[in-house]
Amino acid sequence: MLLPTSTFLYFRRVAFADTDAMGVLHHAQYLIYFEEARVAWLRDLVLSEHHFPKANMVLGVLETHCRHFLPARFEDLVTVAVQARREGLKSPSICHVPGPHRE
C-alpha cells in the first residue's frame, strides 16, 4: 500500500470532560486524539472503505510514544498532524505531532 507523505491536519477542541482537576488535558486523552486523527486521515484518503472491518486489511497501531512539552487546557484548539513515513525496509509508520494553539 502506497501512502501519501503529505501532512494531514486534524483539529480538536479540548472538552471539559477531557481535563483533569487543574483544567489540563489528561495525558491519556492524547492517545484518543491520535486515534481520532488517524481515522479522520484514513477517511480523508478514502481508505476507510478498504480498512477492517469493511475489508480484510488493516493499518494497525504497533507502537505509540508521546512526549509532553506544553500542556493543552480546556477550550484549547489542539492540532494533530498525521504523516505516513517509511523508514528503511520497515512498513509505513504514521507520525502524530500534536500541539495546542491558544486563540
Side-chain angles (χ1 to χ4, degrees):
M1 174 189 309
L2 186 59
L3 298 172
T5 57
S6 58
T7 302
F8 173 80
L9 298 179
Y10 174 75
F11 302 96
R12 172 80 147 71
R13 180 112 14 223
V14 175
F16 182 74
D18 296 341
T19 63
D20 60 18
M22 296 182 295
V24 173
L25 180 65
H26 190 272
H27 65 276
Q29 291 300 121
Y30 283 92
L31 293 177
I32 293 171
Y33 287 17
F34 291 170
E35 178 61 10
E36 289 177 2
R38 185 182 78 92
V39 171
W41 174 68
L42 287 171
R43 190 178 303 116
D44 187 67
L45 294 174
V46 195
L47 287 177
S48 58
E49 293 297 318
H50 305 287
H51 193 275
F52 183 82
K54 296 179 182 179
N56 291 329
M57 62 187 267
V58 64
L59 184 60
V61 177
L62 300 177
E63 179 180 346
T64 61
H65 174 82
C66 185
R67 185 174 287 174
H68 304 272
F69 294 102
L70 178 67
R73 300 184 183 279
F74 173 58
E75 284 293 320
D76 280 351
L77 184 63
V78 175
T79 304
V80 180
V82 180
Q83 184 180 35
R85 290 194 268 187
R86 183 176 291 277
E87 298 172 6
L89 299 175
K90 297 180 184 179
S91 297
S93 61
I94 301 171
C95 178
H96 298 320
V97 184
H101 298 277
R102 294 193 173 84
E103 298 171 307

